[in-house]
């Protein structure tokens, strides 16, 4: 079974950008959309956007439109967040949908912690 | 955006007893093409990513114990743990995938009484 492996923790200053990755270990993403979900410390889950690795088409929550970019090839997806603020401090997860065009998230990466601090 | 509200925020249940979590969406999440509700349930333990338990409101994900069940339709849904085990202590989230942005409830913390 394909596992999602994310890159390591990042520390950034407010106003800067960060880019991190999620790789399908042992295979490819297949025909499944990969999504990014974040979780601020002690808080709930927030969907940011997703991408079809086959078609390369991304869709974003309006809240993040223009500030977030998701890219992907068949086995790696990256999330870039610009104009970072302190409230972007969170654990960022990649997650694969349970079936084609069924965005319930069956497989999750271990998370990438992003800390935004001056 | 569809707003998802869970109740209660937390509950304490004795081992072996039933735990019930409710989830209400601000609009129907019934997908007319297959007559299924676009509602999922997750379990999250400390220091771990969420784990998918249920999707299509009542379809159990592979490997999930049958003490977990989902029910409901339209706007009102329930996750039931029929006989609480110690390993079920976690925060549970529901999520709609009917209309983007996909949104989650605020979470329900389940503890042992």
């Amino acid at each position: 079974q394909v596992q999602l492996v994310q890159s390591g923790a990042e520390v950034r200053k407010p106003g800067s950008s960060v880019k991190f990755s999620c790789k399908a270990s042992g295979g490819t993403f297949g025909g499944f959309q990969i999504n990014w979900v974040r979780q601020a410390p002690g808080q709930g889950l927030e969907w940011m956007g997703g991408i079809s690795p086959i078609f390369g088409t991304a869709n974003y929550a309006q809240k993040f439109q223009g500030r977030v970019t998701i890219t992907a090839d068949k086995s790696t997806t990256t999330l870039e967040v610009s104009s970072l603020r302190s409230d972007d401090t969170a654990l960022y997860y990649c997650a694969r949908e349970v079936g084609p065009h069924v965005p319930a998230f069956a497989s999750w990466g271990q998370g990438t912690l992003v800390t935004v601090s001056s | 955006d569809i707003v998802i509200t869970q109740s209660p925020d937390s509950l304490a249940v004795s081992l072996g007893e039933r735990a019930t979590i409710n989830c209400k969406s601000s609009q129907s999440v019934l997908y007319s093409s297959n007559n299924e509700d676009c509602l999922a349930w997750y379990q999250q333990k400390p220091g771990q990513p969420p784990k998918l338990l249920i999707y299509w409101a009542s379809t159990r994900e592979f490997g999930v114990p049958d003490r977990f069940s989902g029910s409901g339709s339209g706007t009102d849904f329930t996750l039931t743990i029929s006989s609480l085990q110690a390993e079920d202590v976690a925060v549970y989230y529901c999520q709609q995938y009917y209309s983007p942005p996909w949104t989650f409830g605020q979470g329900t913390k389940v503890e042992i009484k």
Side-chain angles (χ1 to χ4, degrees):
Chain A
Q1 186 176 352
V2 173
Q3 290 188 318
L4 303 182
V5 181
Q6 297 186 232
S7 53
E10 304 275 4
V11 179
R12 292 288 186 274
K13 294 189 181 303
S16 66
S17 298
V18 67
K19 188 174 184 178
F20 43 91
S21 66
C22 167
K23 183 175 175 59
S25 174
T28 69
F29 294 132
F32 300 90
Q33 175 150 311
I34 304 300
N35 295 264
W36 287 93
V37 176
R38 75 176 186 180
Q39 186 170 37
Q43 301 301 308
L45 302 165
E46 183 175 35
W47 179 77
M48 302 178 69
I51 190 165
S52 166
I54 289 180
F55 299 107
T57 50
N59 56 312
Y60 303 96
Q62 188 167 7
K63 172 180 179 178
F64 299 103
Q65 195 89 31
R67 202 164 68 89
V68 165
T69 303
I70 301 172
T71 58
D73 60 26
K74 62 180 180 181
S75 63
T76 301
T77 179
T78 61
L79 174 69
E80 183 172 16
V81 185
S82 61
S83 303
L84 287 164
R85 307 184 292 254
S86 58
D87 62 0
D88 290 318
T89 294
L91 195 53
Y92 290 75
Y93 292 106
C94 59
R96 194 184 82 166
E97 57 188 8
V98 67
H101 311 297
V102 183
F105 308 130
S107 299
W108 295 69
Q110 82 278 18
T112 294
L113 179 63
V114 174
T115 303
V116 183
S117 174
S118 55
Chain B
D1 298 1
I2 295 177
V3 177
I4 304 292
T5 304
Q6 292 180 227
S7 62
D9 290 332
S10 65
L11 77 160
V13 176
S14 300
L15 288 172
E17 296 299 306
R18 180 185 300 258
T20 301
I21 301 169
N22 300 302
C23 175
K24 187 174 185 66
S25 62
S26 59
Q27 66 184 75
S28 175
V29 296
L30 178 64
Y31 187 44
S32 57
S33 293
N34 63 1
N35 203 36
E36 298 272 15
D37 291 278
C38 302
L39 195 286
W41 289 97
Y42 300 85
Q43 175 194 67
Q44 188 177 31
K45 298 181 180 180
Q48 296 183 18
K51 174 187 176 182
L52 179 64
L53 300 175
I54 303 279
Y55 58 102
W56 294 129
S58 61
T59 299
R60 204 176 296 117
E61 170 67 333
F62 180 78
V64 173
D66 60 7
R67 64 180 180 273
F68 292 93
S69 63
S71 63
S73 185
T75 61
D76 293 279
F77 302 90
T78 300
L79 175 70
T80 300
I81 310 171
S82 60
S83 176
L84 192 75
Q85 305 299 303
E87 60 266 32
D88 301 334
V89 169
V91 178
Y92 293 82
Y93 295 93
C94 57
Q95 175 228 337
Q96 67 81 20
Y97 52 94
Y98 176 81
S99 174
W102 321 130
T103 48
F104 295 84
Q106 80 277 15
T108 295
K109 187 174 186 179
V110 174
E111 299 173 308
I112 304 295
K113 184 187 291 182

